[in-house]
Amino acid sequence: MSVADTFELTLALLTVIVGLYWLALTLRLPPSAALLVGSGALAFVPGLPHFVADPDLVLVLFLPPLLMDGAFSTSLGRFGRQLPGILSLAIGMVVFTTLAVGVVTHWLVPSLPWAACFALGAIVSPPDAVSARAVLQSVTLPRRLTALIEGESLVNDATGLVLFRFAVAAALSGVFDAGAVAADFARLFLGGVLVGLAAGAAWVVVARRMRDETLTLLVSLLLSWLSYLAGERLHVSGVISTVTAGLVMGWYQHVIFSAAVRLRGIAFNSVLVFVLEAMVFILIGFSLRDVVDRMGGMGAVASTMAVPLAGVVLAVILARFVWIFATDGMRALLSRAGMRGARPLGMRQAAVLGWAGMRGGVTLAIALTLPETMPGRDLMLVAAFAVIFATVVVQGTSLAALIGWVKPQDLEPPAPMSLAEAETALARVRLAVIEQNAYGPNGSLVHAHLLDQAQMRVAATEQFVHNHEQSYPRLVRHFDLLNRSIDAARAELIRLHRAGQIEDEVLHNLERDLDIEQMGLAYQLNG
């Protein structure tokens, strides 16, 4: 395939992404499921070129920015509070799933060596950050569940990669050392944290000195790949390095980024992450064709592998439920014994957490790195696709319905201040600054309008806090009127520009001011 053909194929894939995303919105389906099914069907259309994703390229191109974005938007305080639960899922459950899948696979396919069975378990054991983000965008979960699912998907890839590497080595050499696995994992994990902290600290130093918005965003984007590649070059976990650097960036961006950088960054990242996530699911679907063709067609796959594939998928899903309910039962027992830190999730939250184990691009990329001489390689590749399909399409599309049926309750203690109370505190601080500077040297009131606005803001927020039920409808009508006035101003601005009354620069500047004001109103009303 020539460079021009590759470019045309990329444009065609982007067009497919737009169409499938629109279809998902129309049918009210998770976009990830529509992208996966649509691309898988499209891959078998006669005449389309064969496309095989390079697994190393998939990992280094897509994974770092997606991990960085997930870590950047993660609440560091909540991540730290839920760290024991996150590590239980990211390490304990991945190991348990690897063992469970290995045992089931060897039971169903006795001719496959144990090490190869465990290699398959390592491939399908870690839930994927991309799949989790894609599904979580369409549902509302309690804060603890969200932190557990997001945190798990950020960390568990390192566990799966270590287990996979040692399982493959054992399958090819016949030698396995459990102590070496544990020591290597500790080295990769801790080393990745140190490299990520160093990369994050370097970003803080550089970003503080940046005065250009575009350069600041570019340096921040490059941090994802730089931290990942630095970790890999130093033979530690690039995944953990990227996640650590992203947590550092997310913590310091509030004091480093200007408002303009944040506004531009939100828009830029939303488009970038959407395209990258969509391309990952498209590549998964397209890669299926080469595997099925090599196996002799879909009929041959179904006739020879149906039972093992069903067993692997069930083992993956059930192992997650067993681990989650078993560990939550342990928390319940410890809580009854008086241990304050052991807070069980409860049946409702545990059920949702168990059903939210979607696999995706990382599972595919790991499977595609299997050596050609690996025993059972074709079975592993098809099983990886089967697990991705079952978890994304079946679990992803039904997760919202399960949440609506189970109705998991948010048992996390609320923060001391509500949104309205925080807004009141900010309004009081702003009023204090304006009061100190509203009068001239001779005592005359210079900024009367600003003082009146600040006093009215404090009074309005205080009234809203103390009388929310009656104030909220008036607030909605107030913001609706302001929005209509902004829309009218924007229409007049465009009319003046179309009539040649103002320059392009005037249009852009005033339109930006109106956009910022309207975004501020939306944030105030919707929180």
Side-chain angles (χ1 to χ4, degrees):
M1 187 182 295
S2 66
V3 175
D5 291 337
T6 303
F7 178 70
E8 291 178 0
L9 178 61
T10 302
L11 291 181
L13 291 180
L14 290 174
T15 305
V16 169
I17 287 171
V18 173
L20 291 175
Y21 189 78
W22 173 83
L23 182 64
L25 295 178
T26 303
L27 300 178
R28 296 183 179 180
L29 295 172
S32 55
L35 290 167
L36 183 60
V37 175
S39 60
L42 188 64
F44 290 91
V45 173
L48 285 182
H50 282 258
F51 183 82
V52 180
D54 185 304
D56 294 327
L57 179 60
V58 170
L59 282 176
V60 76
L61 178 61
F62 294 100
L63 189 58
L66 294 175
L67 286 173
M68 177 68 71
D69 185 72
F72 177 82
S73 58
T74 296
S75 170
L76 186 57
R78 193 174 300 151
F79 183 88
R81 290 192 298 271
Q82 303 301 332
L83 187 59
I86 291 172
L87 294 180
S88 171
L89 294 170
I91 299 176
M93 195 199 66
V94 170
V95 173
F96 179 74
T97 303
T98 299
L99 296 175
V101 172
V103 170
V104 170
T105 303
H106 193 269
W107 175 55
L108 295 174
V109 190
S111 60
L112 198 62
W114 276 105
C117 296
F118 290 133
L120 173 58
I123 290 171
V124 299
S125 59
D128 184 59
V130 178
S131 300
R133 285 172 50 87
V135 174
L136 289 178
Q137 289 174 355
S138 59
V139 298
T140 301
L141 290 175
R143 292 164 294 170
R144 186 181 180 186
L145 274 185
T146 301
L148 289 173
I149 294 172
E150 290 181 344
E152 168 199 12
S153 64
L154 292 174
V155 179
N156 59 15
D157 292 332
T159 309
L161 287 168
V162 171
L163 293 175
F164 171 75
R165 188 174 70 179
F166 276 91
V168 170
L172 298 179
S173 65
V175 178
F176 178 77
D177 187 347
V181 174
D184 197 54
F185 177 77
R187 179 184 61 81
L188 290 172
F189 190 95
L190 295 177
V193 171
L194 292 176
V195 172
L197 289 174
W203 172 83
V204 170
V205 173
V206 173
R208 284 187 186 276
R209 288 162 174 75
M210 288 286 178
R211 294 294 178 264
D212 184 81
E213 298 171 7
T214 302
L215 286 179
T216 302
L217 291 175
L218 179 59
V219 169
S220 301
L221 175 62
L222 289 175
L223 178 64
S224 61
W225 285 294
L226 293 176
S227 57
Y228 182 86
L229 293 174
E232 293 298 312
R233 289 295 179 88
L234 294 174
H235 304 292
V236 297
S237 173
V239 171
I240 299 300
S241 173
T242 305
V243 170
T244 304
L247 291 173
V248 172
M249 183 195 293
W251 180 262
Y252 281 97
Q253 59 97 5
H254 303 288
V255 295
I256 292 179
F257 285 168
S258 65
V261 169
R262 264 191 298 274
L263 287 172
R264 294 181 63 181
I266 291 172
F268 173 75
N269 283 336
S270 64
V271 175
L272 175 66
V273 168
F274 166 74
V275 172
L276 291 178
E277 289 179 346
M279 289 297 292
V280 168
F281 287 108
I282 289 289
L283 291 177
I284 292 173
F286 267 65
S287 298
L288 176 62
R289 175 179 175 178
D290 184 68
V291 176
V292 172
D293 287 347
R294 190 169 63 249
M295 294 294 298
M298 195 66 74
V301 172
S303 62
T304 60
M305 296 185 179
V307 174
L309 294 180
V312 170
V313 171
L314 288 175
V316 168
I317 295 175
L318 293 177
R320 182 176 179 88
F321 275 99
V322 170
W323 179 267
I324 289 174
F325 276 93
T327 54
D328 201 54
M330 290 294 296
R331 292 193 195 96
L333 292 175
L334 293 174
S335 178
R336 291 174 184 173
M339 185 177 291
R340 294 184 179 180
R343 294 183 297 111
L345 290 168
M347 294 288 290
R348 296 182 181 184
Q349 293 198 53
V352 174
L353 183 60
W355 196 244
M358 287 69 66
R359 273 64 173 176
V362 174
T363 293
L364 170 69
I366 296 176
L368 292 176
T369 62
L370 284 165
E372 294 290 339
T373 57
M374 184 72 181
R377 184 176 188 272
D378 289 335
L379 171 62
M380 296 182 190
L381 288 172
V382 178
F385 283 110
V387 170
I388 293 171
F389 184 88
T391 55
V392 172
V393 176
V394 178
Q395 291 182 296
T397 55
S398 58
L399 183 60
L402 176 66
I403 293 171
W405 178 56
V406 174
K407 293 181 174 58
Q409 297 176 343
D410 196 341
L411 303 177
E412 286 291 285
M417 295 182 68
S418 65
L419 173 63
E421 290 170 336
E423 288 180 336
T424 302
L426 297 182
R428 288 171 180 163
V429 171
R430 295 179 65 176
L431 174 60
V433 173
I434 293 174
E435 284 179 337
Q436 293 173 2
N437 298 275
Y439 298 90
N442 59 357
S444 60
L445 185 59
V446 179
H447 301 291
H449 183 61
L450 286 177
L451 184 60
D452 289 341
Q453 281 186 328
Q455 291 173 339
M456 289 176 60
R457 185 180 296 112
V458 170
T461 55
E462 288 179 342
Q463 181 182 9
F464 185 80
V465 170
H466 295 112
N467 196 1
H468 175 270
E469 293 183 358
Q470 294 184 6
S471 300
Y472 187 76
R474 291 199 302 269
L475 187 66
V476 171
R477 292 193 296 270
H478 172 76
F479 282 147
D480 180 64
L481 179 57
L482 288 176
N483 272 312
R484 282 186 288 164
S485 69
I486 294 173
D487 291 338
R490 186 180 289 109
E492 176 64 12
L493 180 64
I494 295 173
R495 188 193 68 79
L496 292 174
H497 179 260
R498 299 291 187 268
Q501 300 295 309
I502 57 175
E503 298 288 346
D504 288 352
E505 292 80 6
V506 175
L507 168 69
H508 297 319
N509 289 335
L510 293 181
E511 186 178 46
R512 179 194 60 197
D513 293 342
L514 292 173
D515 288 342
I516 293 174
E517 184 178 356
Q518 198 158 39
M519 286 177 62
L521 291 176
Y523 285 140
Q524 291 180 56
L525 182 59
N526 300 319

